Amino acid sequence: MTIQRLENVGIVVEDLEAVKAFFVDLGLTVMGEGPAEGEWVDRVGGLEGVRLDVVMLRTPDGNGRLELMRYRAPAALDGFGHAPPNTLGLHRVGFAVDDIDAAVAGLRARGVRLVGELVRYEDAYKLCYVRGPEGIIVMLAEQLG
């Protein structure tokens, strides 16, 4: 077996529309959206009576995908919330951007705040973390040179 690619990163959310709008504003496009339920959903997730709404987003280069899910049943469990970046578990997604200063300015204009600071890592990257809806941490990185 050889891994071919990263298929997607999944994030369970409460306010699907707000989270979708946040990522669309960042530049992702909606590939598809709709409900998912039935025996296959129950079996793959090891739950019973699953009913959820799904939005699949794609990065502009077409290679990255982000799957947003809102569970109608069973109810989603409280998780990381507004956990800091050093919390165990998966709770950050990162995107390469061509102009991080413009990206941060646009996000700030919409009320999004940085988790820390916009920093330069050697001569390689400028990067920052922003906190999106529902506490999701998004890393933005601009490759330099």
Side-chain angles (χ1 to χ4, degrees), residues 15-96:
D15 189 340
L16 187 60
E17 289 304 313
V19 177
K20 176 177 82 171
F22 174 77
F23 284 109
V24 167
D25 283 348
L26 280 177
L28 278 72
T29 57
V30 176
M31 292 176 61
E33 56 188 301
E37 59 185 77
E39 182 185 353
W40 75 271
V41 178
D42 291 359
R43 290 177 52 213
V44 74
L47 298 170
E48 291 184 19
V50 175
R51 293 188 332 270
L52 59 119
D53 299 310
V54 178
V55 175
M56 187 66 77
L57 303 165
R58 178 178 42 224
T59 57
D61 68 356
N63 294 321
R65 295 182 183 155
L66 190 63
E67 181 178 13
L68 306 177
M69 297 162 280
R70 181 179 65 87
Y71 278 77
R72 290 181 277 132
L77 302 176
D78 192 19
F80 297 117
H82 289 276
N86 64 335
T87 302
L88 292 174
L90 177 65
H91 64 279
R92 178 185 64 76
V93 61
F95 297 104

